[in-house]
Amino acid sequence: NQNDAEDRLKVVLAPYTFFSHIDDYLELPEFPEIVLQIDQSLYQDKIEKSLRKELQFEHVKIEGALPLLTKLKQLSLSPSLLDLKNITTKLDALDELLEIVQFPCIVCSTSNDVLKSLHTNYTSSCLFTGDSDGYKKYIDSTSDLMFMQLKSGKFGHSFTQTRTLIILDYTFDSDDLYQVLARVKRITSTEPCTIYHLHSGKIDKVMYKLAKERNLSIETVLKEYNQ
C-alpha cells in the first residue's frame, strides 16, 4: 500500500528472470521430439474392432466410456494386460529402439506391470514406480537405463543427464506428460535429450494430440476417438 512499492519491487526483482514455462527459456539446447507410428498386429486390430463395436472380446467386456478407453490404451501397449495373447508390436519396437538410442535413457509408461516386466528383461536397469527409490541408481550412474512410472515424473526430480526419453503411453491428464518432460528439460540442461513417443493404434495418436493442446480428458478423448 506504499506509494513507492512498485519502484522498490522493480529494484528488488531486477537480478531475476521470470518465465511461465520451461519452453520460454531460449538458452536451452534443442530437445527433438519424434513420434514413431507403429502398426498394430492383426490380432490387436481384431480386438480393437470388437471392443468398439460389440463392447467385448472373449472374456473382456466393456461397461462405460472410461473402461473402454482404458482397455484400448492397454491393448495398444500389450494385450497381455487384458489377459490376452502377449502379441505387442509396440514393446517389440521398444526392444529394437533400445539397441540404437543414446544412453542414459528413461522409458516411461502408465503400466506398472509392463515396467516391472521390462525391468526384469533388462537386468542392468533400475525401476522407479513412485513408491521406490530405484531412481537413485540412475542419478548416481549405477544404471543408465530406468523404467519409470509416468506419474513419477511429477515428483520434482532432475534427470538432466538423460539423452533419450521414450514414452509408451499417456494418462488422461495433460500435466502428467509435461511434468515428465520437465524432469529432463530443465534450466540446468546443457546437453540435448531426444524424446520418442511410441504410438500404436488410434488411441495413442488422439491422446498425444490432446495432451499437446493441453485439452486431454476422458470426454475429449472419447469425442476425438469416435470421429
Side-chain angles (χ1 to χ4, degrees):
N1 294 327
Q2 300 177 28
N3 293 332
D4 62 343
E6 183 177 347
D7 292 332
R8 292 168 61 192
L9 188 61
K10 289 179 180 179
V11 173
V12 172
L13 298 180
Y16 302 95
T17 300
F18 294 86
F19 49 91
S20 61
H21 193 270
I22 193 69
D23 291 338
D24 298 333
Y25 194 73
L26 300 180
E27 299 300 320
L28 286 175
E30 182 180 359
F31 283 67
E33 286 196 51
I34 301 170
V35 175
L36 297 181
Q37 187 64 49
I38 304 156
D39 291 337
Q40 290 187 143
S41 66
L42 294 177
Y43 179 63
Q44 287 171 297
D45 284 340
K46 179 181 178 181
I47 299 170
E48 181 174 0
K49 290 177 181 177
S50 181
L51 291 179
R52 290 178 61 186
K53 294 181 180 180
E54 308 297 333
L55 296 181
Q56 68 178 61
F57 179 83
E58 295 183 0
H59 64 276
V60 181
K61 296 183 180 180
I62 307 295
E63 293 184 6
L66 180 56
L68 173 61
L69 296 177
T70 300
K71 285 179 170 53
L72 289 174
K73 233 166 60 67
Q74 292 174 320
L75 174 64
S76 172
L77 190 56
S78 174
S80 64
L81 295 172
L82 303 177
D83 294 324
L84 297 169
K85 296 177 184 177
N86 188 24
I87 301 176
T88 167
T89 53
K90 182 182 290 186
L91 296 185
D92 290 343
L94 173 65
D95 287 338
E96 294 185 26
L97 191 59
L98 287 175
E99 294 181 2
I100 61 173
V101 299
Q102 285 187 305
F103 287 76
C105 172
I106 296 176
V107 178
C108 287
S109 175
T110 65
S111 171
N112 285 347
D113 289 339
V114 167
L115 292 170
K116 290 175 182 177
S117 176
L118 290 169
H119 174 50
T120 300
N121 293 339
Y122 290 85
T123 55
S124 63
S125 67
C126 58
L127 178 66
F128 179 33
T129 58
D131 57 353
S132 66
D133 59 0
Y135 67 91
K136 293 181 179 179
K137 294 182 179 180
Y138 188 74
I139 290 178
D140 65 16
S141 300
T142 302
S143 174
D144 64 356
L145 174 61
M146 180 166 68
F147 294 105
M148 182 174 76
Q149 162 63 238
L150 191 136
K151 281 185 171 292
S152 297
K154 304 185 75 169
F155 291 1
H157 296 288
S158 292
F159 302 126
T160 53
Q161 77 274 32
T162 305
R163 292 296 156 265
T164 304
L165 172 64
I166 303 173
I167 299 173
L168 300 180
D169 58 326
Y170 313 98
T171 70
F172 292 103
D173 184 351
S174 302
D175 188 57
D176 289 340
L177 172 60
Y178 280 89
Q179 289 296 327
V180 164
L181 296 178
R183 297 313 107 215
V184 301
K185 188 177 183 181
R186 303 181 76 81
I187 299 174
T188 54
S189 298
T190 58
E191 297 291 336
C193 172
T194 301
I195 300 162
Y196 290 92
H197 299 267
L198 270 56
H199 291 180
S200 175
K202 185 177 180 180
I203 189 70
D204 293 327
K205 181 178 180 180
V206 168
M207 293 187 72
Y208 176 68
K209 172 181 178 292
L210 293 173
K212 296 293 283 186
E213 296 173 355
R214 294 184 180 272
N215 188 32
L216 182 59
S217 68
I218 296 171
E219 293 77 13
T220 56
V221 172
L222 189 62
K223 179 179 179 181
E224 187 89 11
Y225 185 84
N226 288 328
Q227 287 183 354

